[in-house]
Amino acid sequence: MKLNARATGARRSGPNDALRETKASLLEESDKAEKELTALLRGCLPEAIRDRSVMPMWFVTVLGPVPPAEKTQEWMDLATEVLAYRVTYQVTVTVVALGPETDDIPGRWDWHDDLAERLKRW
């Protein structure tokens, strides 16, 4: 009795394998870039607060000038994520934290909506 390739766990190689490998590589690079950006921003933010730097209007409007005494880590995480969003999508609007309504870039709507909802708590 012959088992098919699926049953044995074997897989035929083909044009989709190269595509899968390319996508996996791009996802790995993306994850690495995201981690590097987050680490950079997370390092800069405490320094700016410590040095009493004047924060942008959009930042102060939604998060306040400094982290609260309670839930400081949650505030820092959200502030860092908003900064990463602005860098990622090149948001340059000086008044609105997340910039204008989002466009058709895949995933941007979800990230925008998630951040907007979380910012309401502050």
Side-chain angles (χ1 to χ4, degrees):
M1 179 159 128
K2 240 181 170 178
L3 296 175
N4 67 26
R6 234 182 251 191
T8 62
R11 193 176 79 194
R12 284 186 260 165
S13 61
N16 287 337
D17 287 345
L19 183 60
R20 272 191 217 93
E21 288 176 20
T22 300
K23 284 183 177 182
S25 175
L26 290 173
L27 288 172
E28 286 175 21
E29 288 176 29
S30 174
D31 288 345
K32 181 180 177 185
E34 180 183 356
K35 288 176 185 175
E36 288 174 2
L37 176 61
T38 300
L40 177 67
L41 294 171
R42 201 176 296 272
C44 293
L45 189 56
E47 290 176 20
I49 293 166
R50 181 195 65 222
D51 296 343
R52 298 176 191 231
S53 299
V54 176
M55 300 306 237
M57 183 187 306
W58 66 263
F59 188 97
V60 175
T61 300
V62 294
L63 291 164
V66 295
E70 294 181 14
K71 297 186 179 182
T72 303
Q73 188 59 51
E74 185 179 336
W75 185 93
M76 291 292 287
D77 291 344
L78 181 56
T80 301
E81 195 169 344
V82 171
L83 288 169
Y85 177 89
R86 288 180 62 89
V87 169
T88 300
Y89 295 112
Q90 301 173 351
V91 177
T92 58
V93 177
T94 59
V95 180
V96 182
L98 302 176
E101 288 296 314
T102 59
D103 48 27
D104 293 334
I105 298 172
R108 185 172 180 181
W109 277 106
D110 293 337
W111 196 8
H112 179 279
D113 291 349
D114 175 59
L115 289 173
E117 189 63 33
R118 291 169 45 208
L119 284 169
K120 289 178 185 176
R121 293 184 234 149
W122 298 101

